[in-house]
Amino acid sequence: MPHWKSLIFVIVMTAALLLAACAGTETEPGTDADSQPEESADAAERPDLLGSFTATDLNGDPADQSIFDGYELTMVNVWATFCGPCLQEMPDLGELAEEYSDQGVQIVGLVADVLESDGTISQEQVDLAREIVTETGANYLHLLPSEDLYGILAQCQFVPTTFFVDSEGKQVGRAYVQAMSKSQWKEVIQSVLAEMES
């Protein structure tokens, strides 16, 4: 993608996220809630959301699709530093990450609002995100947007948006466009794991 197209995309995405509010609906990325399929697609038909990507995490360390190795299920939570419901659920997500760490399930955050208008990462926003992670106890991996992840951000019209992927980065189940309590997320995780086994 030419640099100017990337720049326009980043500006549009940043503006959209800043204007977006949290919603309480479930939806599959890329579809309207009304057109949601009743059954999930088999593995060959599932969207390959994170099958191949490179990015960095909040500490500046490189990350790629190998973060899914050894995990049956990864919960990807797209959040923003300005989003109250995002921050309210992060302590619960931190606890869940700890509880599921030895059960083949992990949680990964994707910080949506750290991009400058020129497409570079804002160190000030990264520092704020790090502070939030420390304060909320959400001590799991948090990715920063990279060009490989812009497509996911484009599908997330609201924050928080949470979706699940398998060990190959393929989407499993639906996306959840809302914050939830620890017990609600536990039910969702168990339901997604059961769906994967069927």
Side-chain angles (χ1 to χ4, degrees):
M1 185 184 295
H3 179 71
W4 65 271
K5 285 185 180 176
S6 294
L7 179 60
I8 290 170
F9 178 79
V10 168
I11 292 168
V12 169
M13 285 308 305
T14 302
L17 279 171
L18 289 174
L19 294 173
C22 297
T25 59
E26 297 175 19
T27 181
E28 194 96 27
T31 66
D32 295 329
D34 294 336
S35 64
Q36 185 115 254
E38 289 183 18
E39 296 178 14
S40 32
D42 65 28
E45 297 172 347
R46 291 194 313 242
D48 188 8
L49 294 180
L50 291 165
S52 177
F53 74 94
T54 58
T56 57
D57 67 15
L58 271 179
N59 298 317
D61 296 323
D64 60 23
Q65 64 278 359
S66 67
I67 64 172
F68 305 124
D69 292 350
Y71 293 96
E72 182 181 356
L73 183 67
T74 298
M75 176 179 177
V76 181
N77 178 255
V78 182
W79 65 281
T81 61
F82 64 83
C83 170
C86 299
L87 309 189
Q88 288 171 357
E89 75 175 346
M90 286 174 75
D92 286 343
L93 296 181
E95 289 177 18
L96 285 170
E98 239 178 83
E99 290 176 23
Y100 279 100
S101 64
D102 60 350
Q103 297 179 46
V105 177
Q106 70 172 334
I107 298 176
V108 172
L110 174 56
V111 193
D113 65 332
V114 295
L115 292 174
E116 297 280 13
S117 59
D118 64 357
T120 60
I121 299 290
S122 164
Q123 191 56 51
E124 186 178 328
Q125 281 297 102
V126 169
D127 292 343
L128 175 58
R130 268 199 220 119
E131 242 177 78
I132 289 168
V133 165
T134 301
E135 288 173 8
T136 61
N139 298 317
Y140 43 87
L141 178 68
H142 293 270
L143 300 175
L144 301 176
S146 67
E147 196 166 321
D148 291 342
L149 301 178
Y150 289 168
I152 290 172
L153 290 181
Q155 294 180 59
C156 296
Q157 297 175 8
F158 304 99
V159 286
T161 293
T162 303
F163 59 92
F164 295 86
V165 296
D166 64 14
S167 61
E168 297 175 350
K170 290 182 181 249
Q171 184 179 346
V172 181
R174 298 176 175 171
Y176 294 82
V177 188
Q178 65 190 76
M180 288 199 236
S181 68
K182 182 178 175 181
S183 61
Q184 289 172 317
W185 278 126
K186 271 187 156 177
E187 285 180 30
V188 170
I189 291 168
Q190 294 307 319
S191 170
V192 175
L193 287 170
E195 181 183 327
M196 291 174 75
E197 290 171 8
S198 60

